[in-house]
Amino acid sequence: MSTLPNKISLKLDSNAEVNVKGFIDPIEYTQYNFHVDWDELANLRVAEPEKQYPAPVFQAFLPSEPVSVGECWQIGEESALSLLQQLHPNPKLILQNDDEDYIGFWACLRSFNDELAEIVFRIHAEFIMKNGKLTLSQFAGRLVLDRIQQKVVSFKMFVPSTTLNFDAGWKQEDGNYFAEIGYCPRLELSSGRYPTDVKFTTSITQEEAESKLISHYYMFHKINWVSLEKAFEQARIQQKPIHAVSLDGPLFDESC
């Protein structure tokens, strides 16, 4: 598959509607059993199992100008919130990093052919509860668009099923606030089926697209990372020390 720099425009039919289903499976694990002892977490369920959306909600996921494969653009915040409210009535978008810089939410054109285009995206958000909050690692996503009919073929926005994929903060009746980390096997919005037998004429890999998105959230991702073995080798050659950092969580999401 080629990665030519040609640009395409992406639009939705203004009359198109998208039916989206929501899923939240019971939480399977928390380090300190918050999912058992805290009722809000124990009874976390999808707010609306099914909902119909007008075209503008998904148009906000598309670029306002022609783009080429690998190019990124920002997603409309209002549409992101509208979708998240199907999962939980009080979502909050995480718009900043630790340095208080505005980040926003990003999408990337991964592939296309004459008929279809595939977009991947990433959103950071948390659910505000009566007695605390649930911060998800990230919402990863994929949207496939029929370029001819200008309709959404498939859509999926989900919290990846990694070993630990959320943080929780619980303010108890005595005023004490406790932090927790845990795992939910499925927290997702989806519509349609991903077309598996399509041959895209212009594309980058899923990993390349995700890397481009990560770079908009975490500046350290732009560092030229090497393996530990390579670092030792370079340290000997350059006669430089190695500064080691030990982590108990992932670098590239909000669940640590």
Side-chain angles (χ1 to χ4, degrees), residues 226-244:
V226 297
S227 66
L228 185 61
E229 292 78 10
K230 188 69 174 179
F232 280 124
E233 180 184 339
Q234 292 182 0
R236 285 193 296 269
I237 295 172
Q238 299 177 21
Q239 292 297 298
K240 292 182 178 180
I242 292 176
H243 181 71

Side-chain angles (χ1 to χ4, degrees), residues 89-233:
N90 196 17
K92 179 184 176 183
L93 297 171
I94 302 173
L95 292 166
Q96 298 168 325
N97 63 16
D98 292 337
D99 298 323
E100 299 300 312
D101 294 327
Y102 177 81
I103 295 175
F105 311 103
W106 293 86
C108 175
L109 178 61
R110 192 188 84 80
S111 55
F112 70 87
N113 57 25
D114 290 340
E115 180 184 356
L116 301 175
E118 180 182 355
I119 293 165
V120 295
F121 60 88
R122 180 172 178 143
I123 293 171
H124 289 181
E126 57 192 9
F127 298 156
I128 306 302
M129 299 180 173
K130 181 180 178 181
N131 296 311
K133 64 179 182 179
L134 180 69
T135 303
L136 293 317
S137 60
Q138 62 162 298
F139 281 93
R142 180 178 64 214
L143 188 156
V144 178
L145 181 70
D146 186 319
R147 298 178 60 196
I148 299 172
Q149 297 187 26
Q150 297 185 338
K151 293 182 179 180
V152 173
V153 174
S154 71
F155 172 82
K156 185 176 181 180
M157 186 169 109
F158 64 102
V159 176
S161 184
T162 50
T163 304
L164 298 170
N165 58 10
F166 70 82
D167 281 348
W170 182 13
K171 186 177 181 180
Q172 299 185 351
E173 292 182 0
D174 58 7
N176 288 320
Y177 187 88
F178 295 96
E180 174 69 291
I181 193 166
Y183 169 71
C184 180
R186 189 184 191 191
L187 206 158
E188 171 187 311
L189 294 172
S190 61
S191 176
R193 293 185 178 182
Y194 180 75
T196 57
D197 57 347
V198 176
K199 292 184 178 180
F200 290 106
T201 55
T202 310
S203 70
I204 58 176
T205 66
Q206 179 73 18
E207 291 74 19
E208 288 172 320
E210 289 175 357
S211 178
K212 289 178 180 293
L213 294 175
I214 289 172
S215 295
H216 286 284
Y217 294 93
Y218 306 111
M219 296 302 103
F220 62 80
H221 184 63
K222 298 180 180 180
I223 296 172
N224 183 26
W225 297 94
V226 297
S227 66
L228 185 61
E229 292 78 10
K230 188 69 174 179
F232 280 124
E233 180 184 339

Side-chain angles (χ1 to χ4, degrees), residues 62-78:
L62 306 183
S64 58
E65 300 177 350
V67 292
S68 56
V69 161
E71 193 169 345
C72 297
W73 62 89
Q74 291 196 332
I75 297 169
E77 296 168 20
E78 186 176 340

